[in-house]
Amino acid sequence: QVQLVESGGGLVQPGGSLRLSCVASGSILNGYEMAWYRQVSGKHRELVASITGGGSTNYATSVKGRFTISRDNAVNTAHLQLDSLKPEDTAVYYCNWPFKSDYWGKGTPVTVSS
């Protein structure tokens, strides 16, 4: 069983930054790929970024160059650094660990507005 807790969301002005965290507990997750998704109310959940156990990363085109995914396997924690935020980045952000599994956190909301 896996428990995931996201944190770090909030209200930020366009151009600002946030750092999201996902803490995993309950099972050994080292080596498993994980991912961040986001969802706007009424829309499908969108894959934002993923990272393998070895640190290889992939990003959605819409966030490439602005967001950075990272992980610390020693403490089962992953991060998503959000820079140069835009209003269209407003969403609830979720971690999915292992990637493509049924394990999700409850999400952390990000609002980008002036």
XYZ file of all heavy atoms in Angstrom:
861
model
N 0.846 -1.184 0.000
C 0.000 0.000 0.000
C 0.883 1.236 0.000
O 1.912 1.289 0.650
C -0.917 0.008 1.227
C -2.045 0.994 1.163
C -3.148 0.558 0.209
O -3.077 -0.526 -0.367
N -4.140 1.404 0.031
N 0.478 2.215 -0.766
C 1.244 3.450 -0.920
C 0.381 4.635 -0.510
O -0.800 4.706 -0.867
C 1.701 3.628 -2.387
C 2.373 4.981 -2.578
C 2.633 2.498 -2.796
N 0.960 5.521 0.243
C 0.296 6.787 0.565
C 1.128 7.939 -0.001
O 2.347 7.966 0.165
C 0.142 6.970 2.075
C -0.775 5.953 2.740
C -0.061 4.659 3.090
O 1.066 4.666 3.576
N -0.712 3.538 2.834
N 0.449 8.852 -0.651
C 1.118 9.991 -1.279
C 0.512 11.284 -0.754
O -0.715 11.408 -0.701
C 0.960 9.932 -2.796
C 1.481 8.675 -3.495
C 1.059 8.674 -4.962
C 2.979 8.577 -3.382
N 1.372 12.218 -0.389
C 0.907 13.508 0.107
C 1.628 14.616 -0.646
O 2.860 14.725 -0.583
C 1.152 13.655 1.618
C 0.679 15.022 2.092
C 0.442 12.550 2.385
N 0.853 15.432 -1.345
C 1.409 16.580 -2.050
C 1.301 17.830 -1.180
O 0.388 17.953 -0.351
C 0.671 16.845 -3.367
C 0.647 15.686 -4.339
C -0.616 14.872 -4.248
O -1.267 14.889 -3.183
O -0.980 14.221 -5.256
N 2.220 18.750 -1.416
C 2.186 20.035 -0.717
C 2.913 21.073 -1.551
O 3.587 20.733 -2.534
C 2.835 19.923 0.663
O 4.205 19.568 0.544
N 2.774 22.332 -1.150
C 3.525 23.400 -1.797
C 2.736 24.285 -2.723
O 3.264 25.281 -3.231
N 1.485 23.939 -2.970
C 0.673 24.764 -3.849
C 0.286 26.080 -3.192
O 0.518 26.287 -1.996
N -0.307 26.947 -3.982
C -0.738 28.226 -3.438
C -1.098 29.205 -4.530
O -1.223 28.827 -5.699
N -1.248 30.456 -4.130
C -1.565 31.541 -5.050
C -0.277 32.286 -5.390
O 0.469 32.681 -4.486
C -2.565 32.486 -4.405
C -2.879 33.790 -5.157
C -3.518 33.486 -6.507
C -3.775 34.686 -4.304
N -0.032 32.485 -6.665
C 1.186 33.159 -7.099
C 0.861 34.034 -8.304
O -0.048 33.727 -9.079
C 2.287 32.129 -7.428
C 1.875 31.231 -8.581
C 3.622 32.795 -7.684
N 1.596 35.109 -8.446
C 1.395 36.003 -9.586
C 2.043 35.428 -10.838
O 2.997 34.632 -10.746
C 1.981 37.374 -9.295
C 1.246 38.124 -8.197
C 1.771 39.545 -8.029
O 2.863 39.879 -8.472
N 0.968 40.392 -7.397
N 1.549 35.810 -11.996
C 2.211 35.370 -13.242
C 3.698 35.725 -13.214
O 4.085 36.806 -12.769
C 1.470 36.160 -14.316
C 0.107 36.369 -13.742
C 0.335 36.583 -12.272
N 4.501 34.770 -13.672
C 5.947 34.932 -13.631
C 6.590 34.424 -12.367
O 7.823 34.341 -12.291
N 5.786 34.089 -11.388
C 6.298 33.620 -10.109
C 6.672 32.147 -10.123
O 6.613 31.475 -11.162
N 7.036 31.666 -8.944
C 7.513 30.288 -8.802
C 6.877 29.611 -7.598
O 6.499 30.279 -6.625
C 9.037 30.272 -8.618
O 9.707 30.795 -9.746
N 6.799 28.309 -7.688
C 6.386 27.462 -6.572
C 7.189 26.171 -6.634
O 7.636 25.765 -7.714
C 4.892 27.123 -6.648
C 3.875 28.211 -6.305
C 2.476 27.724 -6.619
C 3.982 28.617 -4.844
N 7.318 25.532 -5.486
C 7.978 24.231 -5.436
C 7.015 23.248 -4.777
O 6.684 23.401 -3.603
C 9.283 24.307 -4.647
C 10.060 22.995 -4.567
C 11.404 23.239 -3.901
N 12.152 22.045 -3.591
C 12.933 21.396 -4.437
N 13.038 21.820 -5.687
N 13.616 20.330 -4.065
N 6.584 22.277 -5.551
C 5.677 21.260 -5.049
C 6.467 20.057 -4.558
O 7.521 19.731 -5.101
C 4.706 20.819 -6.146
C 3.939 21.922 -6.881
C 2.965 21.307 -7.873
C 3.235 22.834 -5.909
N 5.932 19.411 -3.551
C 6.563 18.204 -3.016
C 5.553 17.073 -2.959
O 4.356 17.298 -2.758
C 7.113 18.462 -1.613
O 8.125 19.445 -1.637
N 6.048 15.872 -3.118
C 5.245 14.659 -2.991
C 6.025 13.705 -2.103
O 7.119 13.280 -2.461
C 4.986 14.035 -4.353
S 4.167 12.424 -4.292
N 5.451 13.400 -0.956
C 6.083 12.469 -0.027
C 5.338 11.146 -0.083
O 4.110 11.115 0.075
C 6.084 13.021 1.407
C 6.721 12.020 2.356
C 6.818 14.347 1.456
N 6.079 10.087 -0.316
C 5.494 8.764 -0.430
C 5.850 7.906 0.772
O 6.954 7.969 1.292
C 5.977 8.088 -1.704
N 4.912 7.103 1.214
C 5.176 6.209 2.332
C 4.367 4.932 2.153
O 3.426 4.883 1.365
C 4.814 6.874 3.657
O 3.432 7.194 3.680
N 4.777 3.900 2.861
C 4.003 2.676 2.886
C 4.621 1.518 2.135
O 4.372 0.382 2.466
N 5.393 1.802 1.105
C 6.059 0.739 0.370
C 7.357 1.282 -0.200
O 7.534 2.494 -0.301
C 5.193 0.223 -0.787
O 4.051 -0.416 -0.322
N 8.225 0.382 -0.543
C 9.504 0.810 -1.104
C 9.279 1.218 -2.551
O 8.842 0.421 -3.370
C 10.547 -0.315 -1.011
C 10.801 -0.655 0.460
C 11.823 0.099 -1.710
C 11.713 -1.844 0.657
N 9.558 2.489 -2.846
C 9.288 3.010 -4.181
C 10.561 3.353 -4.946
O 10.486 3.829 -6.071
C 8.408 4.256 -4.060
C 7.022 3.991 -3.484
C 6.298 5.292 -3.202
C 6.206 3.146 -4.435
N 11.711 3.130 -4.319
C 12.961 3.415 -5.026
C 13.010 2.637 -6.339
O 12.688 1.455 -6.380
C 14.155 3.028 -4.154
C 14.328 3.970 -2.997
O 13.744 5.037 -2.962
N 15.131 3.570 -2.032
N 13.402 3.328 -7.374
C 13.537 2.681 -8.667
C 12.301 2.781 -9.532
O 12.368 2.554 -10.739
N 11.163 3.115 -8.958
C 9.951 3.236 -9.757
C 9.835 4.642 -10.332
O 10.048 5.639 -9.649
C 8.716 2.945 -8.906
C 8.512 1.481 -8.614
C 9.010 0.921 -7.446
C 7.821 0.664 -9.500
C 8.827 -0.419 -7.171
C 7.634 -0.681 -9.227
C 8.138 -1.217 -8.054
O 7.952 -2.549 -7.793
N 9.441 4.684 -11.586
C 9.167 5.972 -12.202
C 7.963 6.609 -11.513
O 7.039 5.910 -11.086
C 8.881 5.779 -13.695
C 8.748 7.050 -14.489
C 8.647 6.792 -15.991
O 8.508 5.613 -16.380
O 8.720 7.762 -16.771
N 7.988 7.934 -11.399
C 6.854 8.650 -10.843
C 6.521 9.827 -11.751
O 7.308 10.199 -12.627
C 7.106 9.112 -9.405
C 8.151 10.184 -9.230
S 7.522 11.864 -9.532
C 6.182 11.994 -8.343
N 5.363 10.421 -11.547
C 4.933 11.507 -12.423
C 4.088 12.516 -11.668
O 3.498 12.216 -10.635
C 4.142 10.947 -13.602
N 4.065 13.712 -12.220
C 3.159 14.762 -11.776
C 2.117 14.986 -12.870
O 2.450 15.049 -14.063
C 3.921 16.062 -11.536
C 4.734 16.076 -10.286
C 6.052 15.752 -10.141
C 4.275 16.475 -8.985
N 6.446 15.901 -8.841
C 5.375 16.355 -8.105
C 3.064 16.916 -8.478
C 5.293 16.665 -6.744
C 2.979 17.230 -7.138
C 4.084 17.111 -6.276
N 0.880 15.118 -12.445
C -0.223 15.447 -13.327
C -0.878 16.728 -12.807
O -0.672 17.131 -11.662
C -1.283 14.348 -13.310
C -0.947 13.095 -14.074
C -0.035 12.173 -13.570
C -1.559 12.812 -15.294
C 0.261 11.008 -14.267
C -1.275 11.647 -15.992
C -0.380 10.761 -15.469
O -0.103 9.597 -16.161
N -1.706 17.314 -13.623
C -2.533 18.424 -13.178
C -3.914 18.304 -13.809
O -4.080 17.704 -14.861
C -1.895 19.773 -13.515
C -1.773 20.074 -14.993
C -0.993 21.371 -15.190
N -0.845 21.722 -16.598
C -0.106 22.720 -17.048
N 0.578 23.483 -16.192
N -0.026 22.972 -18.344
N -4.877 18.898 -13.115
C -6.253 18.810 -13.593
C -6.992 20.103 -13.299
O -6.967 20.608 -12.172
C -6.979 17.633 -12.939
C -8.360 17.369 -13.512
C -8.936 16.064 -13.013
O -8.584 15.562 -11.945
N -9.835 15.484 -13.798
N -7.636 20.596 -14.319
C -8.539 21.731 -14.198
C -9.949 21.175 -14.116
O -10.284 20.208 -14.815
C -8.392 22.679 -15.398
C -9.406 23.816 -15.308
C -6.973 23.226 -15.477
N -10.751 21.749 -13.265
C -12.112 21.268 -13.064
C -12.843 21.133 -14.406
O -12.856 22.063 -15.213
C -12.870 22.233 -12.158
O -14.196 21.777 -11.956
N -13.415 19.952 -14.623
C -14.158 19.711 -15.847
C -13.325 19.217 -17.010
O -13.861 18.945 -18.087
N -12.018 19.096 -16.805
C -11.127 18.630 -17.870
C -10.413 17.359 -17.432
O -10.385 16.998 -16.260
C -10.123 19.714 -18.229
C -10.756 20.967 -18.833
C -9.691 21.904 -19.386
C -10.335 23.094 -20.085
N -9.303 24.007 -20.654
N -9.825 16.674 -18.417
C -9.063 15.466 -18.126
C -7.770 15.804 -17.392
O -7.214 16.906 -17.549
C -8.729 14.727 -19.428
C -9.919 14.146 -20.115
N -10.702 13.173 -19.546
C -10.460 14.405 -21.327
C -11.673 12.857 -20.391
N -11.553 13.595 -21.469
N -7.300 14.844 -16.604
C -6.032 15.009 -15.932
C -4.915 14.969 -16.982
O -4.908 14.104 -17.854
C -5.854 13.894 -14.897
C -4.819 14.167 -13.848
C -4.973 13.204 -12.688
N -6.157 13.510 -11.885
C -6.414 12.931 -10.706
N -5.588 12.017 -10.224
N -7.498 13.250 -10.042
N -3.984 15.903 -16.868
C -2.929 16.083 -17.871
C -1.580 15.701 -17.280
O -1.222 16.161 -16.181
C -2.904 17.545 -18.313
C -1.756 17.920 -19.233
C -1.603 19.419 -19.404
O -2.112 20.191 -18.579
O -0.937 19.828 -20.380
N -0.819 14.886 -18.007
C 0.527 14.547 -17.568
C 1.441 15.763 -17.741
O 1.516 16.331 -18.831
C 1.062 13.374 -18.376
C 2.496 12.944 -18.105
C 2.676 12.482 -16.669
C 2.915 11.835 -19.076
N 2.130 16.139 -16.670
C 3.007 17.305 -16.686
C 4.468 16.896 -16.858
O 5.179 17.453 -17.698
C 2.834 18.119 -15.390
C 3.833 19.274 -15.353
C 1.411 18.640 -15.264
N 4.908 15.947 -16.038
C 6.306 15.529 -16.080
C 6.445 14.179 -15.417
O 5.629 13.804 -14.569
C 7.196 16.549 -15.370
N 7.498 13.456 -15.804
C 7.788 12.177 -15.174
C 9.287 12.033 -14.984
O 10.078 12.692 -15.671
C 7.246 11.015 -16.005
O 7.888 10.963 -17.265
N 9.653 11.168 -14.042
C 11.068 10.939 -13.762
C 11.254 9.479 -13.402
O 10.504 8.925 -12.582
C 11.572 11.886 -12.656
C 13.072 11.708 -12.434
C 10.785 11.719 -11.363
C 13.684 12.829 -11.574
N 12.255 8.844 -14.004
C 12.545 7.451 -13.701
C 13.343 7.349 -12.399
O 13.806 8.354 -11.853
C 13.345 6.802 -14.826
O 14.652 7.412 -14.876
C 12.647 6.960 -16.165
N 13.515 6.134 -11.945
C 14.315 5.923 -10.742
C 15.752 6.398 -10.908
O 16.389 6.808 -9.943
N 16.236 6.361 -12.129
C 17.590 6.796 -12.421
C 17.727 8.268 -12.725
O 18.839 8.760 -12.931
N 16.603 8.971 -12.772
C 16.647 10.414 -12.959
C 16.371 10.914 -14.357
O 16.452 12.129 -14.601
N 16.020 10.048 -15.284
C 15.654 10.511 -16.620
C 14.283 11.165 -16.570
O 13.373 10.643 -15.927
C 15.645 9.345 -17.597
O 16.941 8.795 -17.721
N 14.147 12.274 -17.282
C 12.925 13.064 -17.170
C 12.241 13.270 -18.515
O 12.874 13.212 -19.571
C 13.237 14.450 -16.575
O 14.196 15.119 -17.414
C 13.804 14.325 -15.173
N 10.949 13.501 -18.440
C 10.154 13.887 -19.601
C 9.169 14.953 -19.173
O 8.683 14.941 -18.034
C 9.392 12.687 -20.167
C 10.260 11.821 -21.040
O 10.667 12.217 -22.121
N 10.561 10.634 -20.565
N 8.887 15.863 -20.079
C 8.002 16.985 -19.775
C 6.967 17.172 -20.880
O 7.245 16.938 -22.061
C 8.801 18.289 -19.647
C 9.777 18.298 -18.510
C 11.099 17.910 -18.698
C 9.382 18.700 -17.241
C 12.003 17.913 -17.650
C 10.279 18.710 -16.182
C 11.587 18.315 -16.402
O 12.475 18.320 -15.349
N 5.801 17.644 -20.474
C 4.824 18.081 -21.448
C 5.374 19.307 -22.177
O 6.101 20.117 -21.587
C 3.516 18.429 -20.757
N 5.009 19.421 -23.430
C 5.519 20.534 -24.230
C 5.181 21.881 -23.589
O 5.989 22.815 -23.616
C 4.932 20.472 -25.637
O 5.302 19.217 -26.237
C 5.432 21.610 -26.501
N 4.011 21.957 -22.979
C 3.534 23.220 -22.420
C 4.350 23.700 -21.224
O 4.282 24.885 -20.880
C 2.069 23.086 -22.019
O 1.903 22.061 -21.055
N 5.115 22.815 -20.606
C 5.868 23.215 -19.403
C 7.371 23.077 -19.586
O 8.141 23.484 -18.706
C 5.426 22.398 -18.172
C 3.918 22.473 -17.984
C 5.890 20.952 -18.254
N 7.796 22.539 -20.707
C 9.226 22.308 -20.926
C 9.983 23.629 -20.856
O 9.574 24.634 -21.449
C 9.433 21.641 -22.272
C 10.791 21.009 -22.468
C 10.835 20.190 -23.752
C 9.933 18.981 -23.684
N 10.042 18.127 -24.899
N 11.065 23.631 -20.092
C 11.853 24.839 -19.919
C 11.403 25.703 -18.768
O 12.111 26.642 -18.372
N 10.238 25.423 -18.209
C 9.723 26.212 -17.071
C 9.597 25.381 -15.803
O 9.757 25.909 -14.705
C 8.350 26.799 -17.424
C 8.357 27.710 -18.632
C 7.022 28.422 -18.804
N 5.912 27.490 -19.021
C 4.867 27.375 -18.211
N 4.773 28.127 -17.127
N 3.900 26.518 -18.506
N 9.295 24.104 -15.939
C 9.133 23.216 -14.790
C 10.309 22.250 -14.724
O 10.844 21.838 -15.751
C 7.843 22.409 -14.894
C 6.572 23.198 -14.766
C 6.568 24.587 -14.693
C 5.348 22.536 -14.705
C 5.391 25.301 -14.567
C 4.160 23.239 -14.585
C 4.179 24.620 -14.520
N 10.664 21.863 -13.495
C 11.739 20.903 -13.295
C 11.304 19.851 -12.284
O 10.922 20.193 -11.157
C 13.007 21.597 -12.785
O 13.382 22.647 -13.681
C 14.151 20.592 -12.672
N 11.366 18.600 -12.703
C 11.011 17.495 -11.813
C 12.280 16.901 -11.230
O 13.327 16.834 -11.906
C 10.186 16.419 -12.567
C 9.607 15.391 -11.610
C 11.009 15.767 -13.668
C 8.607 14.436 -12.276
N 12.213 16.501 -9.969
C 13.364 15.888 -9.318
C 12.869 14.919 -8.260
O 11.679 14.895 -7.935
C 14.269 16.957 -8.693
O 13.566 17.673 -7.690
N 13.791 14.138 -7.735
C 13.414 13.177 -6.706
C 14.585 12.915 -5.785
O 15.748 13.069 -6.158
C 12.932 11.871 -7.337
C 13.983 11.140 -8.119
C 13.368 9.992 -8.910
N 12.947 8.890 -8.052
C 12.140 7.911 -8.451
N 11.644 7.926 -9.682
N 11.833 6.930 -7.627
N 14.265 12.503 -4.566
C 15.266 12.082 -3.592
C 14.854 10.687 -3.143
O 13.955 10.533 -2.304
C 15.311 13.064 -2.423
C 16.426 12.730 -1.440
O 16.937 11.595 -1.464
O 16.765 13.604 -0.642
N 15.494 9.688 -3.713
C 15.111 8.306 -3.425
C 15.348 7.936 -1.966
O 14.664 7.055 -1.428
C 15.887 7.352 -4.330
C 15.449 7.444 -5.776
O 14.305 7.796 -6.064
N 16.349 7.149 -6.691
N 16.285 8.576 -1.323
C 16.610 8.232 0.068
C 15.455 8.500 1.019
O 15.328 7.839 2.060
C 17.845 9.003 0.522
N 14.608 9.473 0.635
C 13.494 9.821 1.520
C 12.151 9.723 0.795
O 11.144 10.273 1.275
C 13.674 11.236 2.111
C 14.828 11.240 3.104
C 13.898 12.274 1.031
N 12.127 8.997 -0.326
C 10.870 8.786 -1.062
C 10.102 10.082 -1.281
O 8.896 10.178 -1.000
C 9.977 7.780 -0.324
C 10.310 6.341 -0.676
O 11.157 6.072 -1.525
N 9.655 5.418 -0.019
N 10.815 11.078 -1.763
C 10.216 12.389 -2.010
C 10.520 12.836 -3.433
O 11.631 12.616 -3.924
C 10.750 13.428 -1.013
O 10.445 13.011 0.316
C 10.122 14.795 -1.261
N 9.538 13.451 -4.043
C 9.719 14.031 -5.368
C 9.275 15.476 -5.333
O 8.446 15.870 -4.493
C 8.923 13.251 -6.407
N 9.847 16.254 -6.234
C 9.530 17.671 -6.287
C 9.197 18.079 -7.710
O 9.638 17.456 -8.682
C 10.709 18.509 -5.796
C 11.122 18.219 -4.402
N 10.432 18.663 -3.299
C 12.175 17.497 -3.924
C 11.025 18.246 -2.203
N 12.081 17.531 -2.560
N 8.428 19.141 -7.802
C 8.185 19.781 -9.092
C 8.383 21.278 -8.886
O 7.599 21.908 -8.172
C 6.789 19.475 -9.609
C 6.502 19.964 -11.026
C 7.351 19.197 -12.043
C 5.018 19.818 -11.358
N 9.458 21.808 -9.477
C 9.732 23.230 -9.419
C 9.000 23.907 -10.562
O 9.203 23.553 -11.725
C 11.241 23.483 -9.525
C 11.638 24.941 -9.541
C 11.430 25.622 -8.205
O 11.617 25.014 -7.152
N 11.042 26.894 -8.243
N 8.155 24.860 -10.222
C 7.357 25.577 -11.207
C 7.883 27.005 -11.308
O 7.761 27.773 -10.346
C 5.887 25.609 -10.804
C 5.031 24.355 -10.923
C 5.564 23.210 -10.079
C 3.597 24.649 -10.533
N 8.461 27.346 -12.422
C 8.973 28.695 -12.651
C 8.247 29.350 -13.823
O 7.624 28.667 -14.633
C 10.483 28.656 -12.935
C 11.295 28.156 -11.763
O 11.005 28.564 -10.622
O 12.237 27.362 -11.984
N 8.355 30.672 -13.900
C 7.722 31.426 -14.989
C 6.263 31.018 -15.159
O 5.795 30.771 -16.270
C 8.490 31.210 -16.302
O 9.837 31.584 -16.171
N 5.567 30.988 -14.055
C 4.192 30.491 -14.078
C 3.272 31.402 -14.884
O 3.432 32.639 -14.905
C 3.673 30.338 -12.655
C 4.159 29.068 -11.953
C 4.023 29.186 -10.442
C 3.394 27.858 -12.467
N 2.302 30.761 -15.525
C 1.319 31.446 -16.347
C -0.078 31.154 -15.802
O -0.286 30.115 -15.163
C 1.403 30.946 -17.790
C 2.773 31.064 -18.425
C 2.781 30.443 -19.814
C 4.154 30.528 -20.463
N 4.167 29.925 -21.821
N -1.037 32.005 -16.088
C -2.404 31.728 -15.622
C -2.917 30.356 -16.075
O -3.661 29.707 -15.334
C -3.207 32.863 -16.242
C -2.237 33.988 -16.346
C -0.932 33.342 -16.692
N -2.505 29.898 -17.231
C -2.973 28.605 -17.716
C -2.346 27.423 -16.978
O -2.726 26.273 -17.215
C -2.716 28.460 -19.220
C -1.293 28.751 -19.654
C -1.119 30.181 -20.161
O -1.672 31.119 -19.527
O -0.431 30.355 -21.188
N -1.415 27.693 -16.080
C -0.872 26.641 -15.219
C -1.758 26.390 -14.003
O -1.493 25.465 -13.225
C 0.535 27.003 -14.742
C 1.545 27.076 -15.866
O 1.514 26.206 -16.755
O 2.374 28.012 -15.854
N -2.767 27.210 -13.821
C -3.686 27.041 -12.702
C -4.384 25.688 -12.790
O -4.993 25.356 -13.817
C -4.729 28.165 -12.698
O -4.063 29.417 -12.470
C -5.777 27.935 -11.621
N -4.278 24.904 -11.723
C -4.833 23.550 -11.704
C -4.558 22.946 -10.333
O -3.822 23.522 -9.518
C -4.197 22.683 -12.782
N -5.128 21.780 -10.100
C -4.731 20.968 -8.957
C -3.660 19.992 -9.457
O -3.850 19.320 -10.475
C -5.917 20.207 -8.355
C -5.446 19.341 -7.183
C -6.993 21.176 -7.894
N -2.546 19.946 -8.755
C -1.409 19.116 -9.147
C -1.364 17.861 -8.279
O -1.462 17.941 -7.050
C -0.113 19.908 -9.023
C 0.057 20.931 -10.122
C -0.741 22.067 -10.169
C 0.989 20.744 -11.144
C -0.615 22.998 -11.196
C 1.127 21.667 -12.181
C 0.312 22.775 -12.192
O 0.450 23.697 -13.215
N -1.204 16.723 -8.958
C -1.209 15.426 -8.294
C 0.083 14.673 -8.597
O 0.613 14.770 -9.712
C -2.354 14.563 -8.803
C -3.730 15.111 -8.580
C -4.330 15.964 -9.507
C -4.461 14.766 -7.437
C -5.601 16.461 -9.312
C -5.743 15.260 -7.240
C -6.303 16.103 -8.174
O -7.567 16.580 -7.969
N 0.523 13.887 -7.633
C 1.607 12.963 -7.949
C 1.034 11.557 -8.103
O 0.044 11.195 -7.458
C 2.731 13.009 -6.926
S 2.304 12.559 -5.249
N 1.659 10.815 -8.949
C 1.272 9.447 -9.289
C 2.537 8.592 -9.170
O 3.473 8.742 -9.938
C 0.722 9.424 -10.708
C 0.390 8.038 -11.210
O 0.721 7.688 -12.339
N -0.286 7.222 -10.401
N 2.534 7.729 -8.166
C 3.756 6.994 -7.828
C 3.366 5.608 -7.341
O 2.697 5.483 -6.323
C 4.498 7.749 -6.722
C 5.944 7.409 -6.581
C 6.612 6.323 -7.070
C 6.906 8.199 -5.875
N 7.930 6.409 -6.706
C 8.147 7.539 -5.981
C 6.855 9.401 -5.170
C 9.312 8.039 -5.409
C 8.011 9.889 -4.591
C 9.220 9.205 -4.702
N 3.753 4.541 -8.042
C 4.499 4.503 -9.294
C 3.695 5.079 -10.466
O 2.461 5.131 -10.413
C 4.747 3.005 -9.520
C 4.561 2.368 -8.192
C 3.526 3.193 -7.503
N 4.382 5.516 -11.463
C 3.765 6.070 -12.654
C 2.810 5.050 -13.271
O 3.125 3.864 -13.375
C 4.878 6.430 -13.638
C 4.436 7.108 -14.899
C 3.361 7.969 -14.919
C 5.153 6.925 -16.062
C 2.972 8.619 -16.070
C 4.784 7.573 -17.237
C 3.688 8.420 -17.241
N 1.631 5.511 -13.634
C 0.592 4.696 -14.264
C -0.051 3.687 -13.321
O -0.785 2.808 -13.761
C 1.124 3.984 -15.515
C 1.648 4.933 -16.585
C 2.127 4.184 -17.822
C 2.697 5.157 -18.842
N 3.208 4.456 -20.047
N 0.225 3.819 -12.036
C -0.450 2.984 -11.050
C -1.755 3.646 -10.621
O -2.117 4.728 -11.091
C 0.455 2.782 -9.830
O 0.517 3.976 -9.060
N -2.426 2.993 -9.686
C -3.672 3.554 -9.151
C -3.434 4.406 -7.910
O -4.401 4.802 -7.247
C -4.642 2.428 -8.810
C -5.139 1.706 -10.045
O -5.208 2.347 -11.115
O -5.447 0.499 -9.943
N -2.183 4.671 -7.597
C -1.854 5.432 -6.396
C -1.719 6.920 -6.721
O -0.877 7.307 -7.536
C -0.575 4.921 -5.754
C -0.702 3.505 -5.237
C -0.030 2.458 -5.844
C -1.516 3.234 -4.137
C -0.150 1.163 -5.371
C -1.647 1.935 -3.661
C -0.956 0.909 -4.286
O -1.084 -0.372 -3.814
N -2.556 7.698 -6.057
C -2.580 9.142 -6.248
C -2.676 9.836 -4.900
O -3.292 9.316 -3.966
C -3.801 9.563 -7.073
C -3.842 9.000 -8.446
C -4.357 7.789 -8.829
C -3.373 9.628 -9.643
N -4.232 7.628 -10.187
C -3.634 8.742 -10.712
C -2.756 10.847 -9.915
C -3.299 9.040 -12.024
C -2.426 11.151 -11.232
C -2.694 10.255 -12.265
N -2.108 11.019 -4.826
C -2.348 11.843 -3.663
C -3.657 12.610 -3.834
O -4.364 12.446 -4.828
N -3.953 13.468 -2.848
C -5.179 14.255 -2.897
C -5.005 15.556 -3.677
O -5.980 16.261 -3.926
C -5.675 14.547 -1.487
C -6.120 13.282 -0.753
C -6.700 13.597 0.599
C -7.191 12.324 1.285
N -7.779 12.590 2.611
N -3.764 15.857 -4.025
C -3.502 17.024 -4.846
C -3.204 18.267 -4.044
O -3.561 18.384 -2.863
N -2.535 19.198 -4.696
C -2.270 20.512 -4.119
C -2.624 21.556 -5.167
O -2.188 21.474 -6.315
C -0.801 20.623 -3.648
O -0.609 21.869 -2.985
C 0.195 20.495 -4.780
N -3.446 22.556 -4.802
C -3.914 23.520 -5.788
C -2.895 24.618 -6.064
O -2.269 25.151 -5.146
C -5.175 24.092 -5.153
C -4.945 23.950 -3.678
C -4.111 22.727 -3.493
N -2.772 24.942 -7.328
C -1.935 26.046 -7.768
C -2.814 27.042 -8.519
O -3.514 26.660 -9.454
C -0.800 25.538 -8.682
C -0.051 26.712 -9.312
C 0.160 24.646 -7.900
N -2.768 28.287 -8.070
C -3.518 29.352 -8.725
C -2.552 30.446 -9.147
O -1.824 30.982 -8.314
C -4.587 29.934 -7.801
O -5.466 28.898 -7.367
C -5.392 31.016 -8.516
N -2.546 30.735 -10.445
C -1.671 31.774 -10.976
C -2.559 32.931 -11.423
O -3.298 32.817 -12.398
C -0.822 31.256 -12.145
C 0.164 32.340 -12.597
C -0.085 29.990 -11.751
N -2.485 34.015 -10.688
C -3.367 35.142 -10.961
C -2.763 36.412 -10.398
O -2.088 36.394 -9.363
C -4.738 34.894 -10.330
O -5.570 36.022 -10.487
N -3.028 37.506 -11.071
C -2.585 38.814 -10.576
C -3.682 39.472 -9.763
O -3.501 40.575 -9.250
C -2.168 39.703 -11.745
O -3.227 39.818 -12.675
